[in-house]
Amino acid sequence: MMILKKFAVVGALLGTSLAYAFAPQTGTWIMTSEVNGKPGRGLAIDVQDNTLVMQMYAYDASGNATFYMTSGTLANDRYSAPLNKYRGGRYLGSGDLSGKEDGSAGTVSIRFESGTKGYITLPGEAEKEISRFNFAYGNNPEGLKGIWIFSPLNSLTPTSDFFRLEKMQAATANGNGLITTAAGTFGCEYQVSGAAVGTVICAKVSTAGRLLGGYQFSFSVNEGEGYYLNSTGARASIATMHRLANRADTGTGIVLKTETNDDTVAPAVSPEQLRLAIESVAAQAE
């Protein structure tokens, strides 16, 4: 039985065709430096088409909780518009009351580096890092459990991979523990050292241990963004990842009617074969 120990040299990215922009993930964002609650300001961001809406909860100079909102066009991962204040809205137990704009605190500017990280400049403040708030999933095998769909974004590999990650395995040389399908022909691992540190490496192998393809990506909550890797471990295209159901099989927003994939009928493979494949890819990652 052949066990793949080393792959060919990782190819360079395919020119400018891999330039891309991901819309920021919808949900709760935080000032990264304030995740400990000091002072703990938060943002609710949603992007639909090219329109961004952001609500911000913060405080005024007297320490009172204050609500702000901004909306406008997101273009080239950049946003700039007035940060509006409001007053007179409905309070707990009141009758119908319509809030009204109460002027602007100034201009807010945002630039996004990815779907989970960006930088914001608030009125009267220096630029600060913001990030998607992840309070349920850690960077460990448990954090990757669930049903995932992996979608390469090119015409050469138009099909997606669809797998349930459920079985814990020992760690590779640079990771903190594998999470695999039941048969062990597909698995993923968060890298804690080496060239791919801070990203997740996934590998799909044959029953003989030969690499068939894989993924390298960063994720937050139920979304990932990164690259599809070909059978030599080279980046072949950009790719997106989405968790369809969590570790309790609760859907994350997309209706899941059936669960069928090529792993359900595949013979089980040795966990060592999958670890070797992930180690080979991770060692050559950029």
Side-chain angles (χ1 to χ4, degrees), residues 86-145:
Y86 296 84
R87 64 177 177 84
R90 186 168 183 167
Y91 57 88
L92 294 177
S94 76
D96 292 340
L97 294 171
S98 296
K100 299 179 180 179
E101 287 191 10
D102 190 27
S104 169
T107 298
V108 57
S109 299
I110 313 173
R111 58 184 181 92
F112 293 99
E113 284 192 349
S114 71
T116 60
K117 180 181 176 182
Y119 295 87
I120 191 169
T121 303
L122 293 166
E125 297 188 22
E127 184 180 72
K128 292 181 174 65
E129 180 182 304
I130 58 174
S131 54
R132 176 77 160 91
F133 188 27
N134 183 353
F135 53 83
Y137 296 107
N139 293 324
N140 52 43
E142 282 286 338
L144 289 166
K145 267 189 175 181

Side-chain angles (χ1 to χ4, degrees), residues 88 95 98 133 196 234 243 261 269:
S98 296
F133 188 27
R243 191 194 321 252
N261 60 64
V269 302

Side-chain angles (χ1 to χ4, degrees), residues 3 9 32 39 44 58 93 97 117 127 137 159 162 164 233 252-253 271 280:
I3 297 179
V9 176
T32 307
L97 294 171
K117 180 181 176 182
E127 184 180 72
Y137 296 107
T159 58
F162 174 58
R164 177 196 291 272
T252 60
S280 299

